[in-house]
Amino acid sequence: MPKTKQEKLLEYARKKAEGMERIRQNAQSAYIRAQEEKNKGNIKASIQWMDRAHRLALRNPNITFDLAMLYLKQKQHDQAYTLLNPLMGKFDFYEGWLALALVIATKKDFDRLLTILEHALSHHCPVLETWPLVINLTKKLQMNGCCGLVGSMGQAWISTFKPGSVSLFLDDNYLGETNNKYFNLPEGWQDCQDLHVQQDGVSLLGSPIDIQSICRTEGFVEIDQGHMSGWLWYPAEPERLPVLSFYNSKNILEKQITVQDYFEIAHLDVPLFRAKCFKLPLEDFSPELYAVKDEQQRNLIGSPIDPWILIPKQKKLRSITKKHQLCVPVSAFFYGEKPQIASKKAMGLVIIVPVYKGIEETIACVEAVLQTVPDDVIIQLVDDCSPESELIDILRDNVDNQQIYLIQHHENKGFPGAVNSGIRAWPGYDVILLNSDTLVAKGWIESLRKAAYSQIDIGTVTPFSNDASIFSYPYYDQENPVPSIKEVKSLMRLMQKVNAGVVVQAPTAHGFCMYIRHDCLKQTGLLRENLFAQGYGEENDFCMRAQHLGWRHVVAADVFVGHKGGVSFQRSKNALLRRNIKILNDLYPGYDQMVKTYMDRDFLRNYRRNLDIQRLQNFYKAKKKQGIVYRYALIITHAYGGGVERAVQERIYKLRLKGMIPILIRPTILGDGCQLEIQFKSETILYNEITELYPNLVFSLPCEYSILLQFLQKMDIQSLEVHHFSNHHDAVRQLLYDLSIPYHVYIHDYMVFCPRISLLNADKRYCGEPKQLSKCQACVDLMPASRENLIDMDSWIQRSQNELMHAQRVITPSKDTAARIKKHFPMLKKIDVEELEDDRPDLTIEQLAFFSQHTDKIPETEIQKDIYTHSYKVCLIGAIGIEKGFDILKALVADADQRDLPLEFVLVGRTVDDQLFLNSNRLFITGSYKEEEAVDLVNRQQADIAFFPAIWPETWCYALSIAWRAGLKTVAFDLGAIAQRIKTTQRGWVISPELSIIDQNNILLDFCKKARYEKLKVVYK
């Protein structure tokens, strides 16, 4: 029985999750192995394993830093710099700055070195072990000395290079002079902003020291498995033991502890994350709200917190309101029926803007609101004890207590607490919650209010935004650029035109900009500060409670509000978000599934697509006025990447040179539709503006085929290329005829006559391409996909024949491929061959390697050393799946182990099951690589030859070119384009695919010896 769309999506998600977990496990295994080798003193092997972990873990910052430090140990400064420079552009930690300073010093870039050390010393505490290094680096800069501040000791460290005392100041207050290396600061120094250290009126390196950076903590608290647990640390002084205080609801100190236990595992988001964790049983606390604070009396993220509020209740309650009050779980799929709709109108409308951090964002937000707010709407600012006094002074200047009001908190209460303060100040009013990092445009208030009252049971309204999870535009499933106010106004005008008056059902609202009707607010109640602390999820909790009472939530599809996102407490967002999502699912079982179902059904897709289409039309009109007319090339391809994707991108490059804009048609995940990609810019150029993105040109097939066709017919399409139909709906093939455009077919594999694509039969062997179609039918009938959607080989061949016969050109990448296509479609008059690369058969392999650019030269001493070893190394390149020879590789490794051959293998790339070779000392797998680093990565393996064990007749092989450019002669089976290219260039050997594994290893060993002998001859010359 065919699977439903939901079942297919779940299966896809499961397989993707399993794949990610395998990668994570492989990365962890590689990291552990790297540490083991490092502890043994095998730094070279440690680098090899750490580099693999680095590739697998998608540039995990902890692994990146560890790899950089290993390179430093080997004095490979260029490699260390390549890793450290971008890392320190994202993170701020002392060891990283010192490591980068060391590398910069070797480059003699003293201006950069000065900047790095100034920041490191002014924002971080010095460490005894590395203080001499800091002093030496300071001397290189010819400074008069350096200084630092150790927060845990309240002690300044001072090192000067000429006689005389130094003067110290806390802000503008003179502390005195000293000749000592250490100076203890007076009590209360933590309340100051800067420590100045000067000699003869000149600041030492590191002065002024930012005291608030030194004293800053990061912490988090949650209730987990019967405990109040969390973490706390001083990022500027990671080894410092923080003190944690617990205050009850009466602000009485009940407990104080020193937090000293380390996390058992590394934090993935922050390099060298060394927070101390705590775990206290709930029995130590009463059922009330607790404030959990650091030594500076600041709440941890997640505080205040009630340790007992979510403990399961034994009472059986019928009242939904009582269940909400006592936090008794209610299904996320429960919908109430009779909301208490008010008979009277709201007393007015108030916009509540909580303010904490972000001067520029907040000022821009308030200015945008002031320019768009009607006279009858109140603006209520809430200062949530902002640490930025300048920001509050600016806001206070705008307060007139007629339309603009300001509430000030004496301690930070978080977003829910700030919102509730605003709501309490205006009872009976409709409310718009608005983040302080938003931008609004004319008409936003009127449209939100109109949407809220378009139906009697609407409780909340949310607009579109660039950053609003499921309500985001243009992307809803990945990050969008942050729009300027000009872009916000443009998108607002667009939505008012295209989606005027449209409201769409939603499962929840989003608190960045959320309209709440007064009657919904009165019945549902305030946001729950006692559950969600600083925020994230509190508006979803409100919406669930409102839904249970009968209220609905909608999107106003004609409103766009810009949103920067995460300004107030960016670093701890993930921890708080994870905690609060868990709370939501505990309170409302099935919440995540409810939202996921909404996303899968994507009710907003058509509205997003309409917006994209209208933006494109506006774009064309504007360009036409400028005298610019675009011509397009339509390319049908798959979404699997690999060699086909590279070939497509190279075609795109050539088409651009002809002045054409590529439009790619790719299948959707389930193959039930297609998506168009209009590439106005090269893939290597970042799209920095929302107006450049058109990701919603998605069409369900076959039901929206006419819309797709009509859209394409309006484009000035000059060229149509077919590269792959894999996973495409059959309706896409109809475009070849309905568009009436001459088209070219590019052959990348054998899908035109083999549904298995790679010519491997059910036994995972090359089938030999039988002439009898009945044999092909029997083979195809064994495919799982064939059982679900019956494949008739007669129809398959006839369809392909029609498409090829009607094509203006049929192009293959090699003569071997052309011959195979001709064999199956003899009626084709001409098949063109366009090789994907120039193999330069006129050059020897040494000449080709010489002219290939390498950025990472291997020291000659290492090459000499490896030449004279008695073991030999074979390099494989690429992603080795079944058709690429995975089973061959597995057998070769096993045979070499069994016979203890002086032969080892290295794979630059990955296999379908890396874990199988985890404990093998015979095969090392680097992990995936970027194309631009491939040749250098192969070079670093110092192999004797390369082997390509593909068991199908490949149509081309980019990896073969990588091997040659790295100077490696190659061995391959006498099959397909690889064998043809080796024979043409004489850069290797071809062997029979029928050879036994023992014979294959013996031959590989012989070829290694030949290659080694050739290298020795070069050395002796």
Side-chain angles (χ1 to χ4, degrees), residues 188-206:
W189 65 270
Q190 299 95 329
D191 298 326
C192 299
Q193 296 299 315
D194 298 305
L195 172 65
H196 299 263
V197 184
Q198 299 175 348
Q199 186 178 45
D200 299 331
V202 179
S203 293
L204 300 188
L205 181 63

Side-chain angles (χ1 to χ4, degrees), residues 231-330:
W231 48 265
L232 180 64
W233 74 318
Y234 287 85
E237 191 179 3
E239 300 306 322
R240 181 175 178 179
L241 299 180
V243 175
L244 198 58
S245 301
F246 299 81
Y247 295 87
N248 63 22
S249 56
K250 296 178 181 178
N251 203 30
I252 298 173
L253 179 64
E254 277 198 10
K255 185 184 289 289
Q256 194 171 67
I257 61 172
T258 300
V259 188
Q260 49 192 344
D261 293 333
Y262 284 94
F263 271 112
E264 294 181 3
I265 58 173
H267 195 279
L268 294 180
D269 298 328
V270 182
L272 299 187
F273 182 81
R274 284 162 287 174
K276 314 301 182 293
C277 61
F278 60 93
K279 189 174 184 180
L280 303 171
L282 293 189
E283 289 73 17
D284 290 359
F285 301 93
S286 304
E288 59 182 313
L289 201 62
Y290 281 83
V292 186
K293 298 187 176 184
D294 65 12
E295 291 172 76
Q296 283 73 45
Q297 296 301 296
R298 295 172 295 213
N299 273 303
L300 273 62
I301 296 297
S303 170
I305 188 168
D306 186 334
W308 291 94
I309 195 168
L310 292 176
I311 300 301
K313 314 296 188 299
Q314 298 298 321
K315 296 181 180 180
K316 291 186 178 181
L317 303 170
R318 291 188 177 182
S319 166
I320 285 292
T321 302
K322 281 289 184 182
K323 288 182 178 181
H324 289 164
Q325 290 172 352
L326 296 174
C327 294
V328 174
V330 181

Side-chain angles (χ1 to χ4, degrees), residues 493-505:
R493 287 194 298 270
L494 178 79
M495 292 191 180
Q496 295 270 286
K497 177 181 178 180
V498 176
N499 295 332
V502 172
V503 295
V504 184
Q505 183 81 17

Side-chain angles (χ1 to χ4, degrees), residues 388-540:
E388 298 176 354
S389 56
E390 180 185 353
L391 168 60
I392 301 308
D393 289 342
I394 295 172
L395 294 180
R396 196 179 286 116
D397 291 340
N398 284 290
V399 172
D400 59 12
N401 289 323
Q402 293 182 7
Q403 187 176 23
I404 307 172
Y405 297 80
L406 177 66
I407 296 172
Q408 290 189 278
H409 289 169
H410 297 297
E411 67 172 350
N412 179 257
K413 294 185 178 181
F415 186 83
V419 166
N420 286 343
S421 293
I423 291 174
R424 290 189 189 100
W426 302 94
Y429 276 66
D430 283 358
V431 170
I432 297 178
L433 311 185
L434 188 66
N435 274 22
S436 61
D437 57 352
T438 55
L439 292 172
V440 295
K442 182 181 178 182
W444 71 286
I445 295 173
E446 293 85 346
S447 294
L448 287 176
R449 181 155 47 186
K450 182 179 178 181
Y453 287 95
S454 61
Q455 296 174 34
I456 61 171
D457 59 349
I458 290 177
T460 73
V461 185
T462 302
F464 272 124
S465 175
N466 58 289
D467 183 9
S469 61
I470 59 177
F471 311 120
S472 295
Y473 176 83
Y475 286 106
Y476 74 93
D477 55 357
Q478 67 184 66
E479 188 175 344
N480 290 301
V482 178
S484 65
I485 185 63
K486 181 180 178 181
E487 289 176 305
V488 170
K489 291 177 180 178
S490 173
L491 287 166
M492 181 67 182
R493 287 194 298 270
L494 178 79
M495 292 191 180
Q496 295 270 286
K497 177 181 178 180
V498 176
N499 295 332
V502 172
V503 295
V504 184
Q505 183 81 17
T508 183
H510 196 298
F512 87 101
C513 179
M514 175 181 174
Y515 191 110
I516 310 175
R517 272 178 34 180
H518 66 289
D519 39 5
C520 174
L521 184 59
K522 181 179 180 181
Q523 186 181 6
T524 307
L526 300 172
L527 302 185
R528 298 207 274 196
E529 308 168 43
N530 57 338
L531 282 174
F532 297 95
Q534 287 78 9
Y536 293 117
E538 71 283 354
E539 78 275 35
N540 310 112

